Amino acid sequence: MNQKLIIRLGGAAVAVFVLAYAASPLLAARSLVQAAKTGNEQALERQVDFPAFRASLKAELSDRMVAEMRKDSRLGDSGLSGLGMLLAPTLVSGAVDAFVTPQAISVMVQEGRAPKPDVSPQSDKAEPRQDKVHQSWGYRGLNTFAVTLTREDQPDEQVSLLMQRRGVFGWKLAGIDLSAPN
């Protein structure tokens, strides 16, 4: 009789662990979105790995800039394309370091678009379009969870916030994916 009880308790413990393991990114993502919507800078500081997030955003923006330069036939003909491709990572790096802050993360989540270095204080006062941003959540791997934001008025563009597992149950925003939806 004791052996059956031990097996049942062990099974219940494993089930609780698996449930908590699977649900932890949902709770972390919900907490991140709530902190962003309310503008809670302290909570965002705790929930974002800023060096990793900045590195990810730099890579995404550099790739996007290089792709745009390759598509622009005027640059290819003038020889400026190569120079632009060399300078793009440096320009992006400096801009990203300057403007990725808890406030920028908050605006990004509220508006469903990547932070832009040209955001002026006046545009920060504009009403957020939270009701026009659709969120979808899902795993991208065992240790990566994505919160994908799609604006109602721009369904062909999306921003995926990539949360990375930190320890067994901890998660932090550590990356971004700006690729177009499939």
Side-chain angles (χ1 to χ4, degrees), residues 88-130:
T90 304
L91 295 173
V92 167
S93 179
V96 167
D97 287 340
F99 70 80
V100 173
T101 62
Q103 299 89 355
I105 300 287
S106 183
V107 169
M108 179 178 46
V109 171
Q110 291 176 20
E111 295 184 1
R113 66 175 93 213
K116 295 184 185 339
D118 60 349
V119 175
S120 65
Q122 295 172 345
S123 65
D124 287 343
K125 294 178 184 176
E127 268 192 52
R129 302 185 46 140
Q130 296 173 8

Side-chain angles (χ1 to χ4, degrees), residues 34-47:
Q34 186 62 32
K37 285 183 178 181
T38 61
N40 186 339
E41 292 181 27
Q42 290 85 15
L44 287 171
E45 288 279 350
R46 288 189 307 269
Q47 296 171 349

